[in-house]
Amino acid sequence: MLQPKKTKFKKYRKGRLQTQSSSLTKLQYGIVGLKSLESCRITGAQIEAVRQNINRKLKRRGKIWINIFPDLPVTSKPSEIRMGKGKGSVDHWVAKVSAGKVLFEVLGPKEQILVKALKSAANKLPIKTYILKK
């Protein structure tokens, strides 16, 4: 599971999601990429599921770049606990994703295989996405 090795504070506030991304809106490394059309929070487990799916489709012949990292902790209290008594413990880690950001980039032998792999991987994400080509 993806998570930071060390953070300055154990727990953070949620904050707000940006509506439009200003950085990483074009392909940097690969020839095909997966771009988000909505803003949301993506968990480390979802990112790992996408990475595994792309690797299986490419049969480890291509290269993958992941442009997001889950660095925001999400806390939750155990079920059937009364209100009060402080904030819950860290449950999982998320990455804030704004609309228009390139999430994954791939480079490989055939563009058809890359597009097929990204279409399959997009089903693992909770947002609408778009496949970008160079």
Side-chain angles (χ1 to χ4, degrees), residues 35-94:
K35 189 175 190 173
S36 68
L37 294 177
E38 301 172 338
S39 299
C40 86
R41 298 187 312 177
I42 296 179
T43 67
Q46 289 166 341
I47 295 170
E48 182 63 19
V50 169
R51 187 193 66 77
Q52 286 177 358
N53 194 312
I54 292 172
N55 266 338
R56 282 195 192 110
K57 296 289 180 193
L58 296 181
K59 296 176 183 159
R60 291 184 286 285
R61 283 186 303 219
K63 184 149 174 56
I64 304 170
W65 286 272
I66 303 171
N67 293 334
I68 52 176
F69 185 78
D71 55 354
L72 187 73
V74 175
T75 61
S76 70
K77 296 187 87 161
S79 60
E80 300 178 10
I81 293 287
R82 293 184 181 182
M83 300 306 288
K85 309 229 177 350
K87 194 169 183 172
S89 58
V90 174
D91 185 44
H92 60 276
W93 294 81
V94 297

Side-chain angles (χ1 to χ4, degrees), residues 9-27:
F9 301 105
K10 198 190 308 184
K11 302 169 188 176
Y12 286 90
R13 290 189 178 173
K14 280 186 216 167
R16 296 277 177 245
L17 288 170
Q18 285 182 337
T19 52
Q20 280 290 8
S21 179
S22 57
S23 64
L24 285 170
T25 55
K26 294 180 181 157
L27 293 174

Side-chain angles (χ1 to χ4, degrees), residues 25 33-37 100-103 128-132:
T25 55
L34 197 65
K35 189 175 190 173
S36 68
L37 294 177
K101 186 170 191 166
V102 177
L103 309 176
K128 291 179 186 171
T129 55
Y130 173 76
I131 293 175
L132 260 171

